[in-house]
Amino acid sequence: GPHLFSIDYSFIFHIFLGLLISLPIIGINYLLITKTSIFTEFITYIKKHVLHMDHFEIIAVALFSGIGEEILFRGVVQHYLGLIFASLAFGLMHIGPSKKYLSWTIFAVLMGFLLGSVRIYFGSLVVPIVIHACINYASFRFLFSMNNKTFR
């Protein structure tokens, strides 16, 4: 039977899978941010809201947005309304204040589809939560490094 200090290896495995799957996505995201201009408007907008945050705040925002958005979109919306609807709804939640942010919205729809597919394939919310949190954290780090600003 279960022991007080027993380890759920599937949970640990799903965390590891999330970390592993997030790496190529983070690499692509880094290239899109640093080598293209498709996110220029979005980066400018986000920098105003993120650059004042310290390291702990960035970890908290990355973690809680990953947990909250994945429970909502992959756990609830996708469960009841399907992958396509959840991916579109996820993208619409990431819509910017003008058409200049359309590339970010399209990227979010694609990421929603990927995260939803991962949810279906592994049957776990842990994997997409970890992927989402890692991507958000890495994106914030890229913004800081582009601004030559170090964490407090």
Side-chain angles (χ1 to χ4, degrees):
H3 299 291
L4 182 61
F5 296 106
S6 67
I7 298 170
D8 182 353
Y9 290 105
S10 69
F11 180 76
I12 293 169
F13 182 65
H14 286 151
I15 290 173
F16 175 75
L17 277 173
L19 292 169
L20 198 65
I21 294 168
S22 73
L23 293 176
I25 301 165
I26 289 168
I28 291 166
N29 199 20
Y30 177 77
L31 292 174
L32 289 173
I33 288 171
T34 59
K35 305 295 183 199
T36 75
S37 61
I38 64 170
F39 293 147
T40 305
E41 295 291 336
F42 175 73
I43 290 166
T44 304
Y45 177 78
I46 286 294
K47 277 185 177 182
K48 293 177 190 171
H49 298 81
V50 172
L51 287 181
H52 68 280
M53 294 180 0
D54 64 29
H55 198 192
F56 176 78
E57 290 169 324
I58 286 182
I59 290 171
V61 168
L63 188 61
F64 291 124
S65 64
I67 292 169
E69 291 178 19
E70 291 311 307
I71 288 172
L72 174 63
F73 289 101
R74 261 47 75 187
V76 177
V77 177
Q78 181 172 312
H79 179 76
Y80 290 104
L81 301 172
L83 175 62
I84 302 297
F85 187 87
S87 302
L88 292 172
F90 183 73
L92 289 174
M93 194 193 85
H94 290 83
I95 211 160
S98 75
K99 288 180 186 175
K100 294 185 264 185
Y101 302 90
L102 186 61
S103 59
W104 178 247
T105 305
I106 292 167
F107 181 76
V109 170
L110 294 174
M111 286 308 307
F113 189 81
L114 176 82
L115 292 165
S117 298
V118 165
R119 163 78 168 109
I120 291 166
Y121 186 80
F122 293 107
S124 166
L125 271 176
V126 174
V127 183
I129 286 170
V130 172
I131 294 168
H132 194 149
C134 288
I135 291 168
N136 285 358
Y137 177 76
S139 297
F140 288 143
R141 290 300 306 237
F142 298 154
L143 295 177
F144 269 85
S145 65
M146 288 171 66
N147 207 56
N148 297 320
K149 181 178 170 129
T150 54
F151 287 108
R152 286 185 260 145

